[in-house]
Amino acid sequence: MKLKFNLIVGLALSFGAVKAQKVNVKKAFASAAKQTDVLIKNVDSARAIKPTLVSPRTVENGQFKMVVSRDWTSGFFPAELWYFYAFTKDKRWLDLAKKYTEDIKKEQFNKGTHDLGFMIYCPFGNGYKVTKDPEYKSVIIQAAKSLSTRFNAKAGVIKSWDHNGDKWKYPVIIDNMMNLELLFEATKFTGDSSFYKIAVSHADVTLKNHYRPDFSSWHVIDYDTVSGNVRNKLTAQGYSNESAWARGQAWGLYGYTLCYRYTKNNAYLAQADHIANYILSSKITPADGIPYWDYNDPQIPNVSRDASAAAITASALYELAKYSKESKKYKAAADKILASLSSKYVSKPGANYGFILEHSTGHRPAKSEIDVPINYADYYYLEALLRSKGIKI
Ligand code: GLY
């Protein structure tokens, strides 16, 4: 799975300025569906041995890795199945999506994580859009209630992690912006504005504290919940405290774009534009548009890329293109990323246990999931493909 590309580092032109190409979405979806059939077979075999392992996460050292429902990535696999149904309208995908979504349901009551947006909103939100099943709606509302218990009014943000209390007191990671969609939807469903207010507070405080003057973001901000002040600015998954971890930049871009969708607050649109500009004007990212795992790793170009960051970015750019003055530029950049992912980053048919993309980086500092296939890369890739065609689910 080693990358063998002619890297063009330090280009005079950033990749965002390079001519757009168009992906054949029908073909890309058909290949992805074939891969996912292989994945489902592997999932079912693994579940037959250990039924508590519900979703596929990655392949590491040749080993297929499944996770329990409380893993932060458990919702991506069922959520992908809803995307296959949205694209094909084939009832087989509908039945599969319903079946695997069911396994994540109990996490609606999980108050020990901030990741409920990923775990619950991705599968149940997609499922609700398709089926209008009132049970899916109630799962989303309960998950929003669980997530809201992690909000601290003094700091104005939702706590991300309960672990590593020796490193931080009240850590908030940029990834947490992704969970706000769950809260905005819960207000739409219930009319209870408390979810909306928590989401807006989190987005405002994050905008103030998480971004540097160049609009790259820190990964972790640690808050003092007595004074509400910032205690520390750190990293957990990036190269260093002062570096720009690639996936974090993508989460922030997607997060402020979705905040604009729900609020129409121009400050969020401006923030998304600034983040997009940071990503697209990088002279470090190679011409294919797939970033290295961290923009500031001094070992570049001899380090892993992160296809997941690219897939998240492409999906976000298609949405941002609907709101921003830079619409043409964003669509062209997203097309370019999709063209690269669809040609050079897809697994060979049947390989990688059925995961669609390869070359993502999960947690490099922990020496974990480096240059691997990973479920969230596949999920946002499918979402970007749908968005590239304007297909709404
Ligand atoms: N939210 C964890 C990650 O992006 O790896």
Side-chain angles (χ1 to χ4, degrees), residues 72 115 118 173 175 237 245 247 251 362 376:
W72 80 271
D115 283 319
F118 292 123
I173 62 174
D175 326 27
Q237 280 163 267
W245 173 53
R247 196 160 54 257
W251 291 141
Y376 43 90

Side-chain angles (χ1 to χ4, degrees), residues 51-96:
T52 52
L53 295 177
V54 296
S55 288
R57 174 165 166 149
T58 187
V59 180
E60 230 181 347
N61 305 319
Q63 293 262 1
F64 181 56
K65 298 232 165 121
M66 295 275 293
V67 291
V68 292
S69 66
R70 69 170 181 281
D71 185 271
W72 80 271
T73 69
S74 65
F76 292 117
F77 167 65
E80 282 175 55
L81 303 175
W82 290 109
Y83 282 155
F84 282 114
Y85 177 66
F87 192 74
T88 62
K89 296 287 179 239
D90 178 344
K91 188 172 172 304
R92 182 177 155 259
W93 288 113
L94 178 67
D95 294 341
L96 287 166

Side-chain angles (χ1 to χ4, degrees), residues 78-299:
E80 282 175 55
L81 303 175
W82 290 109
Y83 282 155
F84 282 114
Y85 177 66
F87 192 74
T88 62
K89 296 287 179 239
D90 178 344
K91 188 172 172 304
R92 182 177 155 259
W93 288 113
L94 178 67
D95 294 341
L96 287 166
K98 282 184 184 168
K99 176 179 157 192
Y100 294 101
T101 292
E102 209 54 29
D103 292 319
I104 320 294
K105 204 193 284 175
K106 69 171 194 267
E107 299 308 324
Q108 65 184 298
F109 301 106
N110 187 342
K111 295 183 182 146
T113 177
H114 71 136
D115 283 319
L116 290 180
F118 292 123
M119 296 155 77
I120 295 291
Y121 192 70
C122 291
F124 289 90
N126 287 356
Y128 184 74
K129 283 179 202 156
V130 171
T131 63
K132 299 287 176 248
D133 182 337
E135 206 201 341
Y136 287 4
K137 190 200 264 191
S138 90
V139 169
I140 291 167
I141 295 166
Q142 176 54 51
K145 286 182 187 161
S146 300
L147 180 60
S148 299
T149 64
R150 300 183 66 80
F151 180 71
N152 177 282
K154 189 72 194 176
V157 279
I158 300 162
K159 188 183 186 192
S160 290
W161 294 326
D162 296 338
H163 58 74
N164 291 99
D166 53 324
K167 291 189 185 154
W168 38 61
K169 297 289 171 230
Y170 193 92
V172 177
I173 62 174
I174 191 62
D175 326 27
N176 205 341
M177 287 298 299
M178 299 296 286
N179 296 306
L180 305 184
E181 191 168 12
L182 171 70
L183 298 177
F184 284 123
E185 284 295 330
T187 287
K188 271 174 62 184
F189 286 155
T190 59
D192 176 351
S193 63
S194 61
F195 304 116
Y196 183 101
K197 284 180 186 152
I198 289 174
V200 164
S201 171
H202 187 96
D204 288 346
V205 174
T206 298
L207 196 151
K208 191 169 136 228
N209 296 325
H210 242 99
Y211 281 86
R212 306 183 181 106
D214 67 353
F215 295 99
S216 67
S217 88
W218 280 277
H219 184 208
V220 186
I221 302 291
D222 188 21
Y223 288 90
D224 178 334
T225 51
V226 176
S227 64
N229 294 337
V230 171
R231 293 181 70 241
N232 221 341
K233 301 189 173 197
L234 306 156
T235 198
Q237 280 163 267
Y239 174 77
S240 71
N241 290 345
E242 290 308 317
S243 74
W245 173 53
R247 196 160 54 257
Q249 312 317 305
W251 291 141
L253 173 68
Y254 195 116
Y256 279 102
T257 303
L258 81 84
C259 285
Y260 180 74
R261 182 201 314 156
Y262 288 101
T263 63
K264 298 297 170 210
N265 179 344
N266 282 326
Y268 299 154
L269 178 58
Q271 187 71 3
D273 274 324
H274 289 313
I275 302 166
N277 185 52
Y278 177 85
I279 294 172
L280 300 183
S281 63
S282 166
K283 304 279 194 290
I284 299 293
T285 298
D288 67 1
I290 315 302
Y292 295 103
W293 75 284
D294 188 297
Y295 289 85
N296 303 106
D297 185 334
Q299 299 301 317

